[in-house]
Amino acid sequence: MATLLARNADILVTMDGARREIPGGGVFARDGMIEAVGPSETLPATADRVIDLSGHVVLPGLVNCHHHLDQTLTRNLPAAQNTNLFRWLKAHYRIWGARTPEASRTATLVGLAELALSGCTTAFDHAYVFRNGCRVDDQIFAAREIGLRFMVSRGSMSLGESRGGLPPDSCVEREDDILADSERVIGAYHDATPGSMLQIALAPCSPFSVSPELMRDSAALARRHGVRLHTHLAETIDEERYTLERFGKRPVAYMEELGWLGPDVWFAHAVHVNDHEIGCFAGAGVGVCHCPSSNMRLASGIAPAMAYGRAGVKVGLGVDGSASNDSNHMLGEARQAMLLARLQISLRPPEGPDTTLSTSDPSRDQEWMTARRALELATLGGAAVLGRDDIGALAPGKCADFTAFRLDDLAFAGGLSDPVAACLFTGPHRASWTVVQGRPVVERGAVVTIDLPAVIAEHNRHAARLAALPF
């Protein structure tokens, strides 16, 4: 069984139960699982692979809870640069529908490479456009190439424009076909064992792109097989108007009617919710993926991340699609979550808290999202949202997933009085090492599992073809 010893970190952040931050810390792992964490002198002296992390800050691998990796093909699309969600989607649907399996492979590799270079070790992807010969399998094989821990949805859209949905009819599928392929993908790929590198979720896209019947049938299928459920929810006021006009309910109440409030469910965005709905999420054990950059990019609003935490709602972070964020930087997303939460406490209701007290009042100190709280969302929070207790922290019995950043990097200069907080307050940062299941994916600042320059060149060719389509 292969062993790994990472030692001599200037500071090692465990995110364990005691939230230890260990000077001179290290990790010893066997066959991809951690056996010991502590001061380096307390660990075994040798291993099959030894990594000296002197001059580094080490974090648990970051967990990305919501992404659309195929959108890496349509970053910065001119027709969608200055629009809100519904108009942005209409500018993209047909282009996404024209991608190929080869394009999907390179998009997955590019997106996961960027994530790995930002410290991410586990990524969830929400794929839902399959009328073009593409399959979830394309992304699964690409994730295996690069070596990140992967959770992927067999997503779906079935409600086209002719039936009152937002997407064009050419981009939606028959519901029987969706359910049949969902069952195939679960049977072929889902691995629920500890340390799993691949898991499947079912993820009908949104209330405005699938029918109530498909939502219910997907939930029944997922629960029969023990896989998790995911969808976009309460992202914009347009969505709220849609569900009120079509179903007579706000988005959260609509989900409750469909049987979609439960501990096996997490929602992306969940921006436009009230206190009662936050309580519903907490009571049902629902998780939320906060996507701050995307919500700002599309002017969707500010999700109440701190209020969710106070209520006991599981909260993780997601970079969302690379056409609504235009980047795949997970540590940057944690920084964005911290900054956006701070902006929110300065706003007046309904966006901000109902108070006349200044943000300088000491009684409001608990409202501030700290750097360590943001890192917790990006690690333990993401693990909880994805239903994993084997990732998100560096502790015995957990997966050997970690990332390390060089403290002599220019971006850290002057910030070393608190290197952990500097990971968020300064930046952007590029990972020096990213290790997944004990295997380096990034070594000394470079992705080592794929030929990245060749992938980028091929990816740009696919992206140029899509951008030139006459839609």
Side-chain angles (χ1 to χ4, degrees):
M1 299 173 71
T3 55
L4 172 74
L5 174 63
R7 62 188 180 188
N8 301 328
D10 280 28
I11 188 80
L12 183 141
V13 179
T14 65
M15 286 294 171
D16 64 7
R19 299 299 190 272
R20 290 183 301 157
E21 297 176 2
I22 304 173
V27 173
F28 180 80
R30 188 184 306 274
D31 201 26
M33 305 299 288
I34 295 173
E35 288 192 353
V37 177
S40 294
E41 63 270 17
T42 69
L43 302 176
T46 62
D48 297 319
R49 178 73 188 267
V50 178
I51 302 174
D52 186 349
L53 293 176
S54 300
H56 290 74
V57 57
V58 175
L59 308 175
L62 308 183
V63 181
N64 177 23
C65 297
H66 182 73
H67 208 334
H68 305 286
L69 287 161
D70 279 321
Q71 291 181 16
T72 309
L73 291 158
T74 55
R75 292 201 267 205
N76 189 39
L77 196 69
Q81 288 176 2
N82 306 302
T83 59
N84 74 345
L85 178 67
F86 277 19
R87 291 175 59 200
W88 175 90
L89 283 168
K90 284 180 173 291
H92 283 98
Y93 278 136
R94 289 182 175 85
I95 297 176
W96 295 334
R99 76 191 194 285
T100 63
E102 294 78 15
S104 186
R105 171 186 170 271
T106 62
T108 302
L109 290 174
V110 165
L112 292 181
E114 275 194 282
L115 286 170
L117 287 164
S118 73
C120 181
T121 55
T122 298
F124 166 76
D125 190 66
H126 188 181
Y128 55 81
V129 183
F130 294 113
R131 280 280 298 276
N132 48 19
C134 293
R135 303 192 304 167
V136 173
D137 312 56
D138 305 323
Q139 295 171 294
I140 289 171
F141 299 152
R144 285 178 177 168
E145 283 185 64
I146 195 168
L148 257 68
R149 197 177 303 280
F150 200 43
M151 187 174 188
V152 65
S153 73
R154 200 313 177 178
S156 54
M157 295 197 301
S158 66
L159 195 69
E161 288 174 319
S162 64
R163 297 174 58 207
L166 191 71
D169 289 354
S170 61
C171 288
V172 303
E173 298 175 272
R174 293 177 61 253
E175 296 188 354
D176 287 348
D177 294 339
I178 289 167
L179 294 168
D181 196 52
S182 296
E183 190 136 27
R184 177 192 70 82
V185 170
I186 294 169
Y189 297 114
H190 183 66
D191 177 8
T193 60
S196 166
M197 289 292 291
L198 176 62
Q199 295 189 346
I200 304 298
L202 297 189
C205 184
S206 65
F208 49 84
S209 59
V210 298
S211 70
E213 293 76 21
L214 183 60
M215 293 294 290
R216 290 192 182 95
D217 290 345
S218 295
L221 178 60
R223 287 165 178 153
R224 189 160 69 247
H225 289 284
V227 304
R228 299 181 77 77
L229 288 163
H230 180 63
T231 193
H232 301 91
L233 194 74
E235 184 174 356
T236 66
I237 294 297
D238 285 341
E239 178 190 322
E240 183 176 304
R241 289 173 179 150
Y242 180 91
T243 61
L244 284 169
E245 292 171 3
R246 191 170 180 88
F247 308 113
K249 297 178 183 292
R250 287 168 55 84
V252 174
Y254 176 52
M255 289 295 108
E256 185 173 27
E257 178 183 88
L258 297 174
W260 266 68
L261 295 191
D264 56 351
V265 174
W266 85 102
F267 296 123
H269 305 293
V271 172
H272 298 281
V273 294
N274 56 37
D275 290 344
H276 170 73
E277 291 162 341
I278 292 173
C280 288
F281 286 174
V286 167
V288 168
C289 180
H290 179 32
C291 304
S293 293
S294 175
N295 293 158
M296 289 188 286
R297 160 64 147 97
L298 298 177
S300 299
I302 306 175
M306 292 294 285
Y308 280 134
R310 288 191 293 270
V313 177
K314 297 172 290 190
V315 183
L317 297 179
V319 301
D320 201 8
S322 297
S324 67
N325 179 329
D326 304 282
S327 179
N328 297 284
H329 201 295
M330 191 61 199
L331 189 62
E333 203 65 34
R335 181 177 193 271
Q336 205 74 284
M338 178 183 75
L339 297 181
L340 193 57
R342 292 173 176 222
L343 172 64
Q344 191 170 36
I345 66 173
S346 73
L347 302 177
R348 297 185 183 277
E351 293 84 4
D354 188 8
T355 179
T356 59
L357 293 175
S358 165
T359 53
S360 65
D361 193 296
S363 68
R364 299 192 66 191
D365 287 353
Q366 78 284 353
E367 296 179 41
W368 289 68
M369 184 179 286
T370 66
R372 285 169 172 81
R373 174 57 179 154
L375 283 174
E376 188 166 321
L377 294 182
T379 53
L380 287 173
V385 165
L386 297 185
R388 303 275 308 236
D389 61 7
D390 56 351
I391 60 175
L394 300 179
K398 304 284 188 182
C399 298
D401 294 4
F402 60 87
T403 187
F405 297 86
R406 290 183 61 96
L407 293 174
D408 62 357
D409 185 76
L410 175 63
F412 277 104
L416 298 183
S417 57
D418 185 351
V420 177
C423 290
L424 269 71
F425 278 105
T426 68
H429 299 290
R430 185 184 180 102
S432 177
W433 292 85
T434 298
V435 175
V436 183
Q437 200 72 2
R439 178 194 182 203
V441 174
V442 174
E443 294 187 23
R444 298 178 180 86
V447 175
V448 295
T449 51
I450 60 172
D451 182 353
L452 189 55
V455 169
I456 292 170
E458 181 185 347
H459 180 264
N460 280 333
R461 290 194 295 272
H462 292 303
R465 179 187 69 82
L466 292 172
L469 292 173
F471 292 134

